[in-house]
Amino acid sequence: MTALLPSPTVLETTVAGLAIRAERKGDGPIVVVLHHSFGSPGWLPFYDDLAADFTVIVPHLPGFGLSDRPDWARHPRDLALLLRHWLRKQTDDAVTLVGCGFGGWLAAEMATMAPDAIGRLVLVGAAGLVPATGRILDQMGIRGKESLFPSDLSAGEKQRVALARAMARHPRILIADEPTGNLDPVAATQIFGLLREINARGALVLVATHAEDWVRRHPGRVIRLERGILRSDAPEGDPSATAEVLPR
């Protein structure tokens, strides 16, 4: 005969003037479970299994179920910040944090803002995570091309593959040598657009090109070389700036 554990205890903790309610059960190291975006499904048999060896705490996320809604919150990180302060009031020890769906997104945010508070992080179908490879393929427009040989790709697709390979390791500096060479205007526009996006995400992008029209369409710092001699160095927004001619 299986012994039944007592019903969970309902807790209420005030954080930033908001009431965050949770259910707690069991004894041992603490496991905190963050629920899906559809709300807390109530106390599950899964929680009882964990409570046999752990102290299980299942909060109602801010704005869900029995917890107050923070009207000022605009991003999941705002909710994660509230939960971080809530967790600090539960224990000073590092906990095992389990995030399911939307709760996984919040759990990942909490782990980045307070890694010392999280002993183990378990994500179950977490929302908001960026896949290691698929996102780059989607951004470069080559999803579905993974199994093709180079001879099966167009010139523009080959350029995108080269960019994808370069971006796979999230470099801080990207050097592109004639990235639009042998491309039609449509493909060249797409490649320059991708380079601008990469730059906007924080990477330094250095492009070597003879395409004067693309330089004018995509403003930035422009350094002009002629036969190995520096002819001008124009900061972004100042095309009139020139540099002293320097010998090789």
Side-chain angles (χ1 to χ4, degrees):
M1 181 175 179
T2 302
L4 297 178
L5 294 173
S7 299
T9 301
V10 178
L11 308 174
E12 180 176 315
T13 306
T14 300
V15 179
L18 302 170
I20 297 180
R21 296 174 176 85
E23 295 169 295
R24 176 177 179 142
K25 192 175 184 180
D27 188 27
I30 293 179
V31 174
V32 175
V33 182
L34 305 183
H35 60 69
H36 287 268
S37 59
F38 51 72
S40 176
W43 194 263
L44 300 174
F46 162 60
Y47 303 155
D48 270 332
D49 292 339
L50 287 175
D53 300 298
F54 301 93
T55 297
V56 180
I57 307 178
V58 185
H60 292 242
L61 302 181
F64 292 81
L66 301 177
S67 291
D68 291 344
R69 176 182 177 181
D71 293 332
W72 48 266
R74 295 294 181 268
H75 189 275
R77 191 168 180 83
D78 296 331
L79 303 185
L81 182 61
L82 282 173
L83 288 170
R84 170 66 191 108
H85 288 294
W86 168 84
L87 181 59
R88 185 179 294 144
K89 292 189 175 186
Q90 311 307 311
T91 180
D92 293 326
D93 297 329
V95 305
T96 296
L97 185 61
V98 180
C100 304
F102 180 64
W105 186 341
L106 302 185
E109 293 280 3
M110 292 172 66
T112 62
M113 65 177 63
D116 293 343
I118 313 300
R120 294 184 179 89
L121 178 66
V122 181
L123 303 179
V124 183
L129 295 184
V130 178
T133 58
R135 186 187 187 200
I136 294 177
L137 296 178
D138 291 335
Q139 286 178 334
M140 299 303 167
I142 52 176
R143 167 71 74 178
K145 308 287 186 179
E146 299 94 324
S147 60
L148 298 182
F149 288 98
S151 59
D152 298 324
L153 300 174
S154 67
E157 288 170 341
K158 290 177 183 177
Q159 293 284 48
R160 293 190 190 97
V161 169
L163 278 176
R165 182 177 60 186
M167 290 304 298
R169 298 182 65 84
H170 306 287
R172 298 176 63 182
I173 301 175
L174 178 66
I175 301 175
D177 184 10
E178 297 289 356
T180 59
N182 301 319
L183 297 184
D184 60 73
V186 174
T189 298
Q190 294 173 340
I191 292 298
F192 265 101
L194 289 171
L195 292 173
R196 295 291 293 184
E197 290 180 14
I198 293 168
N199 176 245
R201 293 200 298 271
L204 171 63
V205 178
L206 177 62
V207 179
T209 181
H210 289 84
E212 291 278 351
D213 54 336
W214 296 112
V215 173
R216 288 191 295 269
R217 294 182 194 180
H218 300 274
R221 180 180 177 184
V222 179
I223 301 174
R224 297 183 185 275
L225 299 174
E226 292 181 9
R227 300 173 183 252
I229 299 176
L230 174 64
R231 291 296 181 183
S232 66
D233 184 352
E236 183 171 2
D238 186 10
S240 63
T242 59
E244 179 184 355
V245 177
L246 301 176
R248 275 191 275 186

